[in-house]
Amino acid sequence: MIRGGRSYVTSAPSFSNDAKKLLVCTGNTVSVFSAATGLQITSLEGHTAQVTTLIVVPASSAAQKILCYCWTASLDGTIRHWDFSGPELLQTINAQVPIYSMVIPSLLSEPQQTDKRYDSSKLVAYVSVEDTSLVREGSTELRGHIRRFNLAKERLPRGDTLKETEEPKSIVISPSGEFFGIRHKCKIHVWDVPSGGSVSKKMTLHHTKVINAFAFHPTERIIAAGDVTGRVLIWRGFGNRKLALGSQKKNARAMVDLDNPGVRDEDDAESCTTWHWHSAEVNVLNFSSDGAYLYSGGREGVLVVWQLDTGKKKFLPRIGSPLLYFIWSPEPTLSSVVCADNQIHLLKMPSMEILRTISGIKPPPSLPKMYEGLSSTVAFDRSSGIAALCTENYCVQLYNLLNDRGISEVQVCERNHQPGDEITVVVTAVALSLDGSVMSTTEVKLPEDGIGGLVSLKFWESEPDSKTFTLSTIVYEPHKDAGISAIAFHPTRSMAVSTSFGGDFKIWVSNSDKSQTDKDSSWICHAVGSYKKKPMTAAAFSGDGTVLAVAAENVITLWNPDKNILLSVLGATLTPITKLCFAGKSEFLVAASHFPKPELSVWNTSKLSSSWSYGLRIEAITSALDSSTFAVLALVPKIFRKSKSKKNVFRGRDGAILLFNGSDPKPVSIWTVMKAEGGSISFLEGDKSQLRLAYVNGSHEYVVFDPNSDETHERSAADYEGLVGEEETGDFGYTSMYGELPDYDKKRKEDAESLVTPFVSSERPWETIFSGSTLNFPPLQKLCGEFFESLMEKSNSVVE
Amino acid sequence: MEEELRVRLNDHQVSKIFPVKPKSTAKSVSKSETTDSRYWSSFKPNSNIPKLVSSVAALAFSPVHPHSLAVAHSTTVSLFSSHTLSVSRRFSFKDVVSSVCFRSDGALLAASDLSGVVQVFDVKERMALRSLRSHKAPARFVKYPFQDKLHLVSGGDDGVVKYWDVAGATVISDLLGHKDYVRCGDCSPVNDSMFVTGSYDHTVKVWDARVDTSKCIAEINHGGPVEDVVYLPSGGMIATAGLNSVKVWDLIGGGRMVCSMESHNKTVTSLCVGRMGLDEAAENRLVSVSLDGYMKVFDYGRAKMTYSMRFPAPLMSVALSPDSSLRVIGGSNGMLFAGKKKKLPDAEKKATSFWSVNSQVEESRRRALRPTYFRYFQRGQSEKPSKEDYLVKEMKGVKLARHDKLLKKFRHKEALVSVLEEKKPANVVAVMEELVARRKMMKCVSNMEEGELGLLLSFLQRYCTVQRYSVLLMALTKKVLEMRAEDINGKEEFKGVLRNLKREVNQEIMIQQSLVEIQGVIAPLMRIAGRI
C-alpha cells in the first residue's frame, strides 16, 4: 500500500545549518529534502499526530555546521529531539497536551555555550498548547495556553502559564532570541526572555485590524505586523519602557515624554509607520538575516521585498498561489518561499530567481458552482501510475502516484493565475488515453454579461520517452456553444469521443496513422451522432473498443464507433446518467446517476436489460481491463453515517469503495474512506500484471493498494518499498485519514455465510443486526447486500 | 530592476508571461512548399513579349544551344531567341500553321499547314528547301524522328500517316488505319523508326517504319478524341491527352494503362515532358495545359499532381526548353506566357574571386581604425561566431506587442484602442477575449470616448458577420449599441457606420435564411439517401 499526496505546507519548513537540506513537516513525519536536487532524502518518523513545529538547532561556529539536530513538537503531545542526518530519535518528552507551536529562545541567544546547554537546566521552551481537559462542546473556556517548559528535566512539570487565549496561537520568536510573542486579534503580546530565573515581562501593541502575521527584527527593537487589509505596520523601538534591560533603563525613562508618532494609546513604542501595497491580507512577514530588508507576501502571490530604511520595493510576481511562509537559510544566497498550492520554491537570493521547486500534489481547483460534480479533474495513466490532475493555475499536473513525486506540469490555457480573482476560465475535464500517450482537456471561458464565452477541446500528445505533453490540436467550440460533458478514449486506437449537453457527441480520430510524419498529426472529427436531441451526458468505450456507449440523459445508446451506426438503446433509468463504464471486457455496463435520485445500475448489453441497481450516490467508477471486476466510489448517505449504532463503523468517513465482480450484486470487498466527495478511483495495471487500486480523495491525498490482497497493511507497505525506490518511505501520515476496515478474506467469507443467513431472512435486518455484542457482527462484506438494500428499494429491472 | 527581474523569470515555469494570442486557425495538412512547387514557381514571367495575332498552335525548341523557339501562330512561324525572347526570324505560309518541328541538329525546321502542305526550311538561310505535298486534307502534325535527319512523319485530317523521305520529297509509306482525323504524334526517343500517332477515333497507334505492312504494331484506346501524345523519356511509355484526362501507358507491357489523371476541367490540349533542373538526380515531370487555363504538372512516377498554375486564357500549347531554363505556353488569344529561370551567376562569381585578393588588401588598409573614428567604437559588433567559439546564448524574452504591455499594466481601454488601430482583426478579437476573461470589457466600452467609439463601431461593422468572430462580435455589437445609445444617437459621424452595420446584419440574415432553405431541401434527400 502506498499513501501519499501529503501537504508540505502545514507548518513552516526549515533549512539545515549547511543549507543543503530542507526539513518539511509532512503530516506525522518530517521529510528531509535535498536543496540541490529537490528530492526527498529521508524522513523522521515517530510522531503519531501532525507535526506542528520544527526547530533546527542553529550552529554557532563553522565547525558546527555539520551538526544535524532538531526539535519537533506535535499534536500528539510530545516534543522530540532528533539527529536528522541519521535519522535517529534522541529524546522524547511527553507534554501530554497537543502542542500547536513551540519556541526555544536559548538555542538562539546563547550560542557561546552550546555544548553545555543540553545538560544544563536552562533549556527552556515556550509552547502554545491546547488544554484538552477544557475541551467540551460549546465551552467558553480559554483553551489555548502559552506555557513555559524546561526541556532539560526528565519529567515535565505542568509548566507555568503565561497567557490564555480562546484558541492555541502560534508563537513568533525574534531571531536574537530576546523576545517572543503571539498575535491575538488586533493585538500583539510580546514577552522578553528572562536572562535569569526571573519571570518574563509582557507588553502589548494595539492595532485596529486583525493582525495576520508579524515578525521581529534580528538586531533592533522593530516589529513588523501585517493585517487582514494588507497593511504592514512597523513599530520601532518597542518595549523601551516595559521590557527594558538594566543598562537601557535610563535612556528609556528619558524618552517617556516624547511624542510617539503613529503609536496607539499608551503602547510602548517610539514610532509606528504603515506601508500599504498588498491588496489582500498579509500572510508572510520576515526580516532578512541582516535586518536590512523586510519580506512580505500574501494572498495575491507576490513576494515583496521592502528596503527597511527607505520603504523601496522589489517584487517577485506571478507566483500564482497565496504565500504561506518565507524562510531564509544560513546560506545567504538561498531562501525558500512556501505556497498554498503545496509547492516549496527555493529562491536564489539577491535576484529572487526561482531555482527549484519541491512540488507536492496540487490541491484541486475551486470550480464555479455550475461545474461542481460535472467535471472530471483527475485522470489516471494505468500502466505507469501517473495521475493527471487539474490545478488552480490552469495547469494539469502529472503526478507519479507510485513514488509520490510531481513529474511535470502542462499549461492548458496560456494564462497566469491570480489567486483571489474571479474565476473566468475553467479547465473542466482531463482525460488520458489508456496507454497514456494522449491527453485531452476541455476548458471553458465564462462569458462576461453573456458575451465572449468559449468552450475549447484540446488534444495533447507526448513523445514516448518524455513525460510531458505537447499541444496537438485545439478545437474551438466543438459542440457549438454547448459544454462538454465527458471525454472518453478508445482502448486501442487513437480515437476519442466527446459528448455535449447540446445533444450530440463527436468521435475524433488522429490522422497520425495515415501521415508518416509525427509532427503533422492532428485530431479531426470522424463522426457526429445524436439521439433524439437529448443532452449527451456520459460516454464509454467497451473493453475491445467495438462498442461505444453514450448516455443520452436517461437512456444508454450503443453505437458502432467506426461506422457511426446506432446499435441499440438500453432502457431508461429514472435519472440522468452521469457516468458510464464497461466492466472490463465483459458485457456488463455500469451506469451512475446522482441527481435528483442517486442510482448505480448495472446493465447487461447482450440481453439489453438491467441486471441490478442500488440507490447509491457514485463519485467514480473504474473497471479492470481484463477481468470483469469493477470498483465504485460511493458516498455514504449522511443520515446513515450519523446514526449512533454505525458511528464506530464509519468513524467520520463519508465514502466507501465497493469492489464488484461482474454481475454479482454483492460486493467482493468494501473499504470506507474519508473525503470521498470529489474523489476519484482507478485501477492501475503495472508491468507486474498486478492489479492495484488508486484512490485520490477530494483534497488530492491518495492511497494505492492491492484490492485482492489479504495481507495486513504493514506487510504490503513493506512490499512496495522496493518498488517505490529510495525516496519513498512508507507514508503513515494519513493513518488517521484512511483507516481500513478489517480485511475479509475469501475463506472467512464462506465461514461467515452460515452466520449471516438468519439475519438475511429477517424482514428488517438492521433493527436486529446491531443489537447485541459487537463481537457477534457478521463481516460487513456479507452484510453489504442487505445493508444497501435496506437503504433503498431495489429498482425493478427493465426488460425490453 | 523590476523589468530585469521579470525578463529573467520568463523561462521558469512558475511565472510565465503569456502575450495575447489570436486563436489558431486550421493549418493545411499538406506542406505549403514542396520541391515541385518551388521549382515550377521559380519561372519568372516575362511580360514584354508582344501579343501575337491569333492562337498559338504549336511551339518547338531547337535541340541545340541556344535553343531558339519556333512559335506557330496564324500563317507564320516566328523564331524567338530564347535569351532575349524577341523575334529573330519569320517564316510565312499560305495557310494556318498547325505544327512545327526542329531537326535533331537544329538546322532544319519542318512545319505543316492546313492546306495539307508540309514545308521544310533552313533555319539560318530562311528559305524553304522542300514542300511536301501529299495530304488531301489539312496536315495536323509533322515530326522529325529523334536522330534521323532524312525522314519525316506527318499526319492529317485525311486519316493517313505519312512517312516521308525529305530529300526526295516522296512518301515512303502511307500508314492507314486511323478512322478519323490524325491530330498528333510523337517519335520514339530511343528508336528512329518508331512513332506513335493519336487520332480523333480515340485510338493511339504505334507504328514501325521498318515493318512494311503499313499496319500498326500496337494500338491503345484513350477513351476520347486524342489531342496530344508524347513519348516519355524512357521510350517505353507514352502519355496521351484527350478530353479532360491525361493517361500514361506502358507500351512494352502491351499497352497497359499505368495511371490516369483527370484534374483538368476542360479539354487538355497539349503535353510536354520536362526535367526539373539539370542535375543527374532531376526527375521528369509531365506538363499539361488545357482550355480551362491551367497548367498542371504531374509526377507520373507517383501518379499525382504536384503543381498547378492558372493563366488568364485558354491554353493551346506548351513547351519546355531542353536546358530547363524556359517554359513557354501559348494561349488561344495569341498570348505567349513565357517563364524564365534565373541564371546562376557562375561566371560572375569567378570574376570577382579573381579580383578579390586585391580588394582585400585595400580593405585591410582602410580598416586601420583609430579611437578618433566613430567606427572604432562599433568594431566587431557584427562579428559572426566561428565554429570553435563557445556560444553563450542570450535568454530570449517574450516578445510583447504594445497592447500586451498595456494589458500588463492593466490599462485595458488603452490596450483595446491600440489594438483597434493596428487593424489586425484576429488580434483585436484576442484582446477582447482577454478583456472578457478579466471581466473588463463592459468597463472598457463604457469608458470609451467618441473617437475611440467610432473606431470600435467601424471595426464591429466590418467584422461582426465574419463567421470566425461573429459569436463574440455580434453579442458585443448589441451590447455596445445598448450601452452607448445616447452617445451614438443622432451623431453625424456614426450615421454612416450604423447604416452599414444594419446593412451587413440584414445581408447576413438573408444569407442565413437562404441557407436554412437549402438545408430544408437537402435534409429529406439526405434522409432518403441514408435509408438506401
Side-chain angles (χ1 to χ4, degrees):
Chain A
M1 174 184 316
I2 301 163
R3 296 178 186 283
R6 299 154 304 175
S7 171
Y8 294 165
V9 298
T10 49
S11 45
S14 182
F15 278 102
S16 69
N17 285 326
D18 52 2
K20 284 178 183 159
K21 293 171 187 170
L22 184 69
L23 285 79
V24 180
C25 299
T26 49
N28 297 4
T29 62
V30 174
S31 300
V32 182
F33 288 91
S34 159
T37 62
L39 299 179
Q40 193 177 358
I41 302 167
T42 178
S43 71
L44 313 178
E45 292 157 25
H47 281 292
T48 54
Q50 192 185 317
V51 179
T52 51
T53 311
L54 174 68
I55 302 168
V56 174
V57 177
S60 54
S61 63
Q64 285 180 334
K65 284 208 168 177
I66 50 159
L67 288 181
C68 301
Y69 296 110
C70 71
W71 290 88
T72 58
S74 157
L75 292 183
D76 64 0
T78 56
I79 298 167
R80 289 174 197 239
H81 189 209
W82 307 82
D83 179 355
F84 59 84
S85 62
E88 198 183 344
L89 176 62
L90 302 175
Q91 191 186 359
T92 306
I93 297 155
N94 196 349
Q96 280 139 4
V97 276
I99 301 167
Y100 281 83
S101 181
M102 173 176 79
V103 292
I104 308 176
S106 52
L107 292 182
L108 301 163
S109 57
E110 297 170 51
Q112 63 276 15
Q113 34 178 298
T114 39
D115 292 350
K116 291 174 191 169
R117 197 164 55 196
Y118 298 112
D119 39 41
S120 76
S121 62
K122 272 186 172 175
L123 191 66
V124 170
Y126 294 89
V127 294
S128 164
V129 298
E130 183 177 17
D131 196 340
T132 42
S133 61
L134 296 170
V135 176
R136 246 170 255 113
E137 304 228 349
S139 83
T140 51
E141 299 281 345
L142 302 174
R143 288 184 289 127
H145 290 192
I146 307 295
R147 289 182 189 171
R148 181 165 177 245
F149 283 162
N150 193 337
L151 300 177
K153 282 184 184 162
E154 274 303 307
R155 283 189 65 250
L156 250 148
R158 194 161 169 267
D160 34 341
T161 303
L162 298 177
K163 170 84 184 165
E164 291 181 352
T165 53
E166 294 85 3
E167 296 285 321
K169 297 287 177 188
S170 69
I171 310 176
V172 178
I173 189 162
S174 71
S176 60
E178 282 178 275
F179 307 100
F180 65 92
I182 59 165
R183 57 193 164 80
H184 182 221
K185 288 176 184 166
C186 305
K187 290 173 288 211
I188 296 174
H189 302 292
V190 181
W191 290 269
D192 70 339
V193 176
S195 48
S198 59
V199 186
S200 47
K201 287 169 278 185
K202 177 187 157 190
M203 62 159 284
T204 307
L205 295 167
H206 294 85
H207 182 48
T208 50
K209 301 275 171 2
V210 175
I211 290 169
N212 244 14
F214 75 102
F216 289 95
H217 192 274
T219 50
E220 292 168 52
R221 290 192 163 202
I222 298 176
I223 284 181
D227 68 13
V228 284
T229 60
R231 288 186 181 84
V232 176
L233 291 91
I234 313 284
W235 280 285
R236 289 168 197 269
F238 69 89
N240 279 343
R241 276 171 287 157
K242 289 180 184 165
L243 308 180
L245 302 172
S247 57
Q248 293 171 332
K249 255 176 188 162
K250 273 183 189 167
N251 292 341
R253 202 163 291 150
M255 279 200 273
V256 168
D257 303 328
L258 285 176
D259 180 35
N260 298 343
V263 177
R264 208 162 285 284
D265 304 338
E266 295 290 293
D267 283 356
D268 184 10
E270 277 171 26
S271 69
C272 178
T273 49
T274 306
W275 288 339
H276 200 170
W277 183 88
H278 293 280
S279 59
E281 78 254 21
V282 180
N283 292 331
V284 177
L285 271 179
N286 207 337
F287 284 96
S288 66
S289 53
D290 59 352
Y293 296 95
L294 173 68
Y295 299 93
S296 73
R299 209 179 63 182
E300 61 281 286
V302 180
L303 182 67
V304 186
V305 187
W306 307 82
Q307 200 172 11
L308 202 59
D309 293 336
T310 59
K312 275 185 183 162
K313 301 180 289 284
K314 232 167 73 174
F315 304 95
L316 173 62
R318 284 187 285 277
I319 297 174
S321 180
L323 306 185
L324 293 182
Y325 312 102
F326 174 88
I327 55 162
W328 35 267
S329 73
E331 187 79 31
T333 58
L334 190 68
S335 64
S336 161
V337 63
V338 179
C339 299
D341 60 354
N342 216 0
Q343 311 283 304
I344 302 174
H345 302 296
L346 297 173
L347 304 184
K348 189 175 155 188
M349 232 13 234
S351 62
M352 296 211 292
E353 245 173 289
I354 293 179
L355 276 180
R356 207 159 288 107
T357 302
I358 297 170
S359 172
I361 201 162
K362 285 199 174 182
S366 55
L367 297 173
K369 270 264 159 51
M370 53 192 287
Y371 289 101
E372 271 173 20
L374 290 176
S375 57
S376 54
T377 55
V378 185
F380 296 90
D381 177 1
R382 291 174 169 229
S383 52
S384 57
I386 289 171
L389 310 126
C390 293
T391 62
E392 191 94 41
N393 54 349
Y394 319 114
C395 285
V396 167
Q397 188 188 24
L398 299 173
Y399 199 86
N400 193 333
L401 297 181
L402 299 181
N403 54 19
D404 196 10
R405 197 191 303 157
I407 297 170
S408 59
E409 259 178 45
V410 179
Q411 186 84 39
V412 175
C413 338
E414 298 210 320
R415 292 183 61 77
N416 275 307
H417 173 64
Q418 187 59 38
D421 275 5
E422 190 186 349
I423 297 164
T424 55
V425 181
V426 193
V427 179
T428 53
V430 58
L432 279 172
S433 70
L434 207 64
D435 58 348
S437 66
V438 186
M439 179 171 78
S440 173
T441 58
T442 61
E443 69 203 51
V444 179
K445 280 187 183 164
L446 301 175
E448 177 193 10
D449 261 3
I451 65 167
L454 181 72
V455 181
S456 44
L457 172 69
K458 288 180 179 175
F459 289 97
W460 306 77
E461 283 175 1
S462 76
E463 299 293 312
D465 304 323
S466 70
K467 287 292 177 197
T468 187
F469 286 89
T470 48
L471 186 60
S472 157
T473 308
I474 311 179
V475 186
Y476 298 110
E477 305 192 314
H479 300 278
K480 298 203 183 120
D481 51 350
I484 295 171
S485 52
I487 320 168
F489 276 97
H490 193 280
T492 51
R493 289 167 36 205
S494 43
M495 179 186 267
V497 62
S498 66
T499 60
S500 87
F501 298 111
D504 61 343
F505 69 88
K506 284 189 180 179
I507 296 173
W508 308 88
V509 290
S510 168
N511 62 4
S512 63
D513 304 342
K514 293 167 199 160
S515 67
Q516 287 85 5
T517 49
D518 287 343
K519 278 180 192 169
D520 289 344
S521 81
S522 61
W523 289 73
I524 50 172
C525 184
H526 170 68
V528 186
S530 66
Y531 182 75
K532 292 185 177 171
K533 298 260 165 75
K534 284 187 180 179
M536 299 288 191
T537 47
F541 280 100
S542 68
D544 53 356
T546 52
V547 178
L548 167 69
V550 181
E553 222 162 18
N554 51 359
V555 295
I556 302 169
T557 55
L558 301 178
W559 301 76
N560 179 335
D562 288 315
K563 295 176 182 160
N564 200 32
I565 297 167
L566 181 64
L567 300 175
S568 57
V569 180
L570 288 184
T573 56
L574 295 170
T575 51
I577 292 163
T578 54
K579 283 177 180 73
L580 270 182
C581 182
F582 275 92
K585 289 222 157 82
S586 68
E587 72 270 27
F588 295 104
L589 179 64
V590 190
S593 50
H594 58 71
F595 189 78
K597 212 179 143 219
E599 190 177 9
L600 168 72
S601 52
V602 172
W603 301 78
N604 189 330
T605 52
S606 60
K607 290 179 190 161
L608 300 180
S609 65
S610 162
S611 295
W612 49 268
S613 68
Y614 285 131
L616 277 177
R617 170 145 184 214
I618 300 300
E619 277 292 310
I621 312 174
T622 181
S623 82
L625 273 189
D626 306 319
S627 58
S628 59
T629 315
F630 67 91
V632 298
L633 174 64
L635 293 187
V636 177
K638 230 174 229 164
I639 322 138
F640 182 71
R641 211 163 59 222
K642 289 252 169 85
S643 71
K644 266 185 189 162
S645 53
K646 292 116 200 168
K647 228 174 188 174
N648 54 348
V649 177
F650 286 103
R651 290 199 295 266
R653 300 185 193 119
D654 59 351
I657 299 174
L658 294 92
L659 188 70
F660 293 95
N661 202 345
S663 59
D664 190 8
K666 279 180 192 161
V668 182
S669 341
I670 301 172
W671 299 268
T672 54
V673 291
M674 291 189 89
K675 297 187 198 166
E677 199 158 353
S680 180
I681 53 171
S682 173
F683 280 105
L684 299 182
E685 277 134 314
D687 40 347
K688 288 183 177 175
S689 71
Q690 198 177 18
L691 195 67
R692 277 173 289 177
L693 194 59
Y695 163 61
V696 177
N697 77 2
S699 47
H700 282 185
E701 296 146 344
Y702 69 85
V703 61
V704 179
F705 59 97
D706 185 351
N708 298 321
S709 88
D710 306 325
E711 318 298 330
T712 55
H713 142 201
E714 281 79 16
R715 166 78 192 285
S716 38
D719 274 350
Y720 284 112
E721 201 90 346
L723 219 173
V724 167
E726 239 182 32
E727 268 73 40
E728 174 59 30
T729 48
D731 314 311
F732 302 104
Y734 286 94
T735 22
S736 58
M737 295 188 175
Y738 313 95
E740 228 137 307
L741 278 185
D743 293 303
Y744 302 105
D745 49 8
K746 274 141 203 162
K747 279 172 269 160
R748 272 163 60 199
K749 185 175 160 186
E750 259 94 68
D751 299 341
E753 208 110 40
S754 56
L755 253 174
V756 182
T757 331
F759 294 109
V760 175
S761 60
S762 132
E763 251 185 42
R764 306 176 71 180
W766 293 102
E767 297 195 342
T768 52
I769 257 175
F770 285 114
S771 52
S773 161
T774 47
L775 290 173
N776 293 339
F777 281 3
L780 247 193
Q781 187 185 355
K782 289 310 294 174
L783 287 176
C784 184
E786 289 79 20
F787 157 61
F788 283 120
E789 262 172 274
S790 71
L791 287 173
M792 69 217 69
E793 66 272 25
K794 195 169 181 176
S795 73
N796 300 325
S797 55
V798 184
V799 184
E800 287 200 18
Chain B
M1 184 68 212
E2 212 176 299
E3 277 303 319
E4 185 193 327
L5 205 76
R6 268 180 210 161
V7 170
R8 258 194 231 152
L9 284 167
N10 282 344
D11 67 332
H12 194 269
Q13 52 152 354
V14 171
S15 47
K16 274 185 198 155
I17 294 170
F18 301 109
V20 170
K21 257 197 263 174
K23 277 190 216 164
S24 42
T25 49
K27 268 184 288 180
S28 67
V29 179
S30 61
K31 272 179 206 158
S32 60
E33 177 111 314
T34 59
T35 50
D36 267 85
S37 67
R38 206 176 312 128
Y39 179 79
W40 292 107
S41 58
S42 69
F43 288 100
K44 291 280 161 286
N46 191 321
S47 54
N48 45 21
I49 302 174
K51 195 177 167 182
L52 303 174
V53 180
S54 79
S55 167
V56 178
L59 295 162
F61 273 103
S62 163
V64 295
H65 198 75
H67 306 298
S68 49
L69 168 71
V71 178
H73 58 98
S74 186
T75 61
T76 33
V77 171
S78 306
L79 211 59
F80 282 77
S81 146
S82 71
H83 215 71
T84 55
L85 286 172
S86 55
V87 179
S88 58
R89 279 191 184 82
R90 274 180 217 279
F91 305 93
S92 311
F93 290 78
K94 292 209 180 70
D95 209 334
V96 175
V97 182
S98 58
S99 172
V100 61
C101 177
F102 276 99
R103 201 168 75 168
S104 59
D105 57 0
L108 298 190
L109 178 85
S112 61
D113 65 21
L114 295 190
S115 64
V117 180
V118 176
Q119 280 182 297
V120 179
F121 292 88
D122 186 321
V123 174
K124 286 228 175 86
E125 305 292 323
R126 248 186 76 190
M127 62 184 191
L129 297 176
R130 295 285 185 279
S131 283
L132 311 175
R133 293 165 201 272
S134 174
H135 280 292
K136 309 234 162 25
R140 287 294 178 178
F141 91 93
V142 59
K143 209 89 183 176
Y144 267 104
F146 184 55
Q147 289 291 342
D148 189 354
K149 293 177 181 172
L150 305 173
H151 300 101
L152 264 178
V153 182
S154 71
D157 285 358
D158 50 2
V160 186
V161 178
K162 290 176 191 287
Y163 190 61
W164 298 87
D165 173 33
V166 181
T170 50
V171 179
I172 296 174
S173 49
D174 279 330
L175 305 168
L176 306 169
H178 280 298
K179 297 187 185 69
D180 207 336
Y181 300 168
V182 176
R183 296 290 293 196
C184 54
D186 196 19
C187 294
S188 163
V190 290
N191 190 330
D192 282 341
S193 51
M194 297 268 286
F195 47 90
V196 291
T197 55
S199 153
Y200 272 6
D201 63 358
H202 299 192
T203 61
V204 172
K205 290 183 195 282
V206 186
W207 310 91
D208 191 340
R210 293 166 297 189
V211 184
D212 203 25
T213 52
S214 78
K215 258 183 130 181
C216 65
I217 53 168
E219 183 184 308
I220 50 179
N221 192 339
H222 180 84
V226 181
E227 288 287 351
D228 201 1
V229 56
V230 287
Y231 264 104
L232 298 182
S234 65
M237 301 220 281
I238 57 165
T240 58
L243 292 184
N244 300 348
S245 64
V246 176
K247 293 178 179 176
V248 178
W249 308 83
D250 184 2
L251 285 184
I252 296 168
R256 186 172 54 87
M257 190 172 79
V258 178
C259 57
S260 165
M261 291 159 291
E262 301 186 9
S263 49
H264 283 288
N265 291 326
K266 284 185 181 169
T267 304
V268 182
T269 50
S270 181
L271 290 174
C272 83
V273 177
R275 228 174 139 72
M276 285 180 43
L278 287 171
D279 11 328
E280 287 296 304
E283 291 176 50
N284 287 311
R285 293 283 186 271
L286 188 62
V287 182
S288 69
V289 293
S290 154
L291 292 179
D292 61 4
Y294 276 97
M295 174 197 85
K296 306 229 173 190
V297 179
F298 295 103
D299 181 353
Y300 54 87
R302 298 187 188 84
K304 72 179 185 190
M305 194 190 79
T306 52
Y307 187 70
S308 166
M309 192 170 174
R310 170 91 207 253
F311 290 92
L315 305 179
M316 298 302 292
S317 50
V318 61
L320 285 157
S321 76
D323 62 355
S324 348
S325 66
L326 196 59
R327 176 211 17 83
V328 189
I329 293 170
S332 67
N333 58 355
M335 284 295 284
L336 202 60
F337 305 103
K340 201 168 176 194
K341 263 190 125 52
K342 263 190 193 158
K343 273 266 166 60
L344 288 175
D346 278 341
E348 287 160 292
K349 242 183 204 170
K350 264 177 202 154
T352 52
S353 67
F354 179 76
W355 295 105
S356 60
V357 181
N358 198 359
S359 65
Q360 215 159 33
V361 171
E362 214 162 276
E363 190 93 332
S364 67
R365 196 183 302 145
R366 215 156 39 108
R367 276 230 185 130
L369 293 171
R370 295 201 202 105
T372 48
Y373 294 174
F374 177 64
R375 272 196 298 125
Y376 176 84
F377 297 98
Q378 292 183 318
R379 70 195 190 283
Q381 280 183 359
S382 56
E383 205 80 6
K384 294 278 181 296
S386 64
K387 252 183 198 170
E388 55 270 13
D389 282 348
Y390 177 75
L391 295 180
V392 180
K393 288 237 170 69
E394 205 178 339
M395 251 190 277
K396 261 193 191 159
V398 182
K399 210 168 188 185
L400 292 179
R402 191 156 163 257
H403 54 260
D404 282 319
K405 284 178 190 155
L406 289 168
L407 280 174
K408 228 173 75 177
K409 289 174 184 156
F410 305 98
R411 287 153 72 176
H412 295 126
K413 191 194 77 178
E414 283 157 70
L416 182 60
V417 170
S418 89
V419 78
L420 278 171
E421 281 163 355
E422 263 173 47
K423 299 214 162 75
K424 283 182 192 154
N427 283 358
V428 176
V429 171
V431 168
M432 283 176 175
E433 276 170 356
E434 175 63 25
L435 290 176
V436 166
R438 295 184 181 194
R439 297 286 181 265
K440 291 288 181 294
M441 191 70 222
M442 294 297 103
K443 202 105 202 172
C444 280
V445 171
S446 62
N447 284 349
M448 275 189 157
E449 280 155 34
E450 237 160 65
E452 296 158 352
L453 198 61
L455 208 58
L456 178 65
L457 279 176
S458 62
F459 172 79
L460 289 174
Q461 177 255 315
R462 193 174 297 173
Y463 293 106
C464 71
T465 54
V466 175
Q467 189 264 335
R468 235 185 313 162
Y469 315 129
S470 61
V471 175
L472 173 69
L473 293 188
M474 281 314 286
L476 181 66
T477 310
K478 238 167 139 182
K479 266 268 144 46
V480 170
L481 293 181
E482 254 171 45
M483 286 173 67
R484 306 297 299 266
E486 62 268 30
D487 298 321
I488 294 168
N489 262 347
K491 289 268 167 59
E492 276 304 316
E493 61 261 43
F494 295 138
K495 257 184 188 162
V497 175
L498 284 182
R499 198 175 50 235
N500 289 347
L501 186 64
K502 207 168 169 183
R503 197 188 56 224
E504 289 280 330
V505 172
N506 282 336
Q507 263 175 8
E508 184 63 28
I509 288 170
M510 265 157 60
I511 291 171
Q512 295 284 346
Q513 268 170 349
S514 57
L515 283 176
V516 168
E517 279 166 24
I518 292 169
Q519 196 182 14
V521 174
I522 289 175
L525 294 177
M526 296 296 279
R527 187 154 298 177
I528 291 163
R531 237 176 256 158
I532 296 161

